[in-house]
Amino acid sequence: MQFVSRNALASALAALCLPGLAWAQDATPATKVSAQIFVNASQLDRDGVVSADEGLAMDLKRTFITVDHRFNQNWTAQVTTDVQWLRNSDPTDVWLRHAYLQRSFGKGTWLRFGNAPLPWIQQESARDGYRYVDGALITRSKMGNAADYGVHGQYTRGDFTYAASVVTGGGYQKPRLGDHPDVEVRVGWAAAKGVELALGGYRGTRALDSGDMPREHTAQRWNAMASWVGERGRIGAQYFYAEDWTRVVKPGSDDQRGWSVWGSYQLSPQYAVFTRHEETRMSLDINPLNRERYHLVGVEWKPNKYLRLAAVGKQITQETATARKESHEAGLWAQLAF
């Protein structure tokens, strides 16, 4: 029987363990849990009248709880729950916002399988920067879905980013299948530092032609956006034109149109001012006099990396052939992220 000296044994163990220790120091956690909460307390009045139902109240606009899991350098997965409770609503809305598997092919290039963000709304929110106060133009006008079930891809080459999704069309809030898949695409060009020019489009039936609901029209939407994001400021504008977005299973064609401009400026690391104005016309053919104008102004305070707090005023004016209505809302909006 041979015996190994203690020094030789220690040297052998060190040779085996050191590579593992080095890997452990460089490795990141395989699973990460994060959360975002959007909440506001505000007073809403319509045509100068504050009713008992529309006075000072709180809204839990969104609670996102996200679990990210990294299998290896190429494969990851994400699951995000979405909870909403609005004033005078019962019950609380709970959705599965994201649930997808991702295969990465390098920086900015990937494929996603499942319920994932669609190309346009994800980027419009990122360029605007104040999603916790209100969704941007396509979100607020309900001219698209933030996420949907299907196959999603993105390819980045140089200053250009190409993204496309082939989806059910029903969206993540009310998942359903139509007779045919819908398609959304987006092309972004980083023309200069902080500047992005983008074009996009959507075509499909929005999963409305399921069962015994015959398709009358195919919904189409075209988008354009120009934006700049700097160290202390943001400015941007976007436009959409759509055909038959609301007439997929209804006779008679109708078009929609809208535009939006926004800007913000960081006065200091803690304080910023921001504003946005948009106008939408959701029935250019059937009710061409219908129009909505939306405007907001706000001041934001960021005391730390977890909290954003904004004092905001909003005004919405709605016009039809026979009436004009105006509503005002003012209060505090907050985002808590950790």
Side-chain angles (χ1 to χ4, degrees), residues 241-242 244 253-256 281-288:
Y241 186 86
D244 299 316
S253 184
D254 202 5
D255 297 343
Q256 299 78 35
R281 297 179 61 188
M282 302 303 291
S283 182
L284 292 171
D285 302 306
I286 297 175
N287 295 297

Side-chain angles (χ1 to χ4, degrees), residues 129-152:
Y130 287 88
R131 174 63 185 88
Y132 75 98
V133 176
D134 243 345
L137 176 65
I138 301 302
T139 304
R140 208 185 69 82
S141 61
K142 295 180 172 59
M143 289 298 299
N145 290 313
D148 203 347
Y149 289 85
V151 180
H152 313 256

Side-chain angles (χ1 to χ4, degrees), residues 143-203:
M143 289 298 299
N145 290 313
D148 203 347
Y149 289 85
V151 180
H152 313 256
Q154 180 175 289
Y155 173 70
T156 300
R157 183 178 178 84
D159 296 330
F160 287 88
T161 299
Y162 309 87
S165 295
V166 180
V167 294
T168 66
Y172 74 96
Q173 293 183 345
K174 295 180 179 180
R176 58 188 184 275
L177 290 172
D179 291 340
H180 304 90
D182 289 11
V183 178
E184 180 170 300
V185 297
R186 184 183 190 279
V187 179
W189 174 36
K193 183 179 180 181
V195 175
E196 188 192 51
L197 307 178
L199 295 173
Y202 187 101
R203 179 180 173 86

Side-chain angles (χ1 to χ4, degrees), residues 16-28:
L16 290 172
C17 293
L18 283 176
L21 291 173
W23 176 86
Q25 289 174 353
D26 293 337
T28 57

Side-chain angles (χ1 to χ4, degrees), residues 14-158:
L16 290 172
C17 293
L18 283 176
L21 291 173
W23 176 86
Q25 289 174 353
D26 293 337
T28 57
T31 303
K32 182 177 71 173
V33 180
S34 59
Q36 276 189 323
I37 299 172
F38 301 164
V39 63
N40 70 275
S42 62
Q43 179 167 298
L44 176 66
D45 71 82
R46 302 183 190 275
D47 294 320
V49 178
V50 180
S51 69
D53 293 335
E54 297 175 343
L56 182 63
M58 292 188 64
D59 296 310
L60 180 63
K61 297 291 288 291
R62 285 290 189 269
T63 297
F64 302 129
I65 299 176
T66 299
V67 179
D68 289 294
H69 182 75
R70 179 181 57 83
F71 299 100
N72 52 48
Q73 64 179 357
N74 295 323
W75 289 95
T76 58
Q78 184 185 105
V79 175
T80 301
T81 60
D82 185 354
V83 179
Q84 180 185 63
W85 179 82
L86 302 179
R87 64 189 72 189
N88 308 316
S89 66
D90 187 28
T92 300
D93 293 316
V94 181
W95 301 293
L96 183 64
R97 189 180 182 91
H98 300 153
Y100 64 83
L101 184 68
Q102 176 174 307
R103 172 62 161 92
S104 297
F105 300 93
K107 186 177 181 180
T109 302
W110 41 256
L111 276 174
R112 291 172 177 171
F113 308 92
N115 179 17
L118 280 112
W120 194 265
I121 285 182
Q122 181 183 41
Q123 194 65 3
E124 78 167 2
S125 297
R127 304 301 287 183
D128 174 88
Y130 287 88
R131 174 63 185 88
Y132 75 98
V133 176
D134 243 345
L137 176 65
I138 301 302
T139 304
R140 208 185 69 82
S141 61
K142 295 180 172 59
M143 289 298 299
N145 290 313
D148 203 347
Y149 289 85
V151 180
H152 313 256
Q154 180 175 289
Y155 173 70
T156 300
R157 183 178 178 84

